Amino acid sequence: MPVAARFHELRDRVVATVDAKLAEPVRLSFMKNGQTDPDRPQRQIDAILRTGEEKPVGSDGGSDKAWRTRIAAGQAELRVDRAKYPDVDFEKGDAIRAISRPGEPLFEVLSVNRRDHSRLIVRLGQK
């Protein structure tokens, strides 16, 4: 049985605090062969969604490119709190709708990074 590291509880509290300020509601539509997957029903969660071209900001407030990468125009990134939504996972082609934004933009899952211990990081493209 794995034992949680000492910092896990603190990490989860920090992520939840950040999400309380920055997360927004998104609707997840899980797809299979271009159609909604009946085995994975739609659901709504709160997650951090970053879109469009952003300028990198360095640790000194400057533009240190090593500190943060750019999100290319037309792409987006969704960051899901793994402690709050441990059962959420994505596959390439799934759809994400930003339901609180004007026009409710729709994105398609391009790739998923499952290696981060606090968040599921989903790279999105415009749909």
Side-chain angles (χ1 to χ4, degrees):
M1 177 179 196
V3 177
R6 291 183 299 273
F7 69 90
H8 287 185
E9 182 181 335
L10 179 59
R11 175 207 58 208
D12 293 345
R13 284 191 353 221
V14 169
V15 169
T17 300
V18 169
D19 280 11
K21 300 294 183 193
L22 300 178
E24 62 184 273
V26 294
R27 185 172 52 237
L28 314 179
S29 298
F30 303 104
M31 309 299 283
K32 184 175 185 178
N33 300 323
Q35 304 292 323
T36 55
D37 186 344
D39 297 328
R40 299 186 302 153
Q42 260 187 5
R43 68 184 285 190
Q44 181 178 317
I45 67 169
D46 290 330
I48 295 178
L49 177 64
R50 293 289 174 253
T51 60
E53 186 172 347
E54 296 183 1
K55 295 187 179 194
V57 177
S59 57
D60 62 354
S63 60
D64 177 10
K65 291 183 182 180
W67 177 251
R68 184 170 165 179
T69 59
R70 289 181 187 227
I71 298 175
Q75 290 190 349
E77 192 174 85
L78 185 71
R79 292 179 169 252
V80 179
D81 180 351
R82 295 183 113 171
K84 186 172 183 180
Y85 303 107
D87 60 326
V88 170
D89 199 8
F90 299 91
E91 295 178 14
K92 185 175 180 180
D94 287 343
I96 310 295
R97 186 171 297 276
I99 59 177
S100 67
R101 293 187 182 199
E104 296 187 352
L106 184 63
F107 301 92
E108 180 178 6
V109 173
L110 301 177
S111 65
V112 182
N113 177 349
R114 295 175 181 89
R115 294 181 181 185
D116 188 277
H117 58 90
S118 62
R119 296 189 182 276
L120 191 63
I121 302 170
V122 186
R123 191 169 60 92
L124 307 170
Q126 288 184 350
K127 191 159 175 138

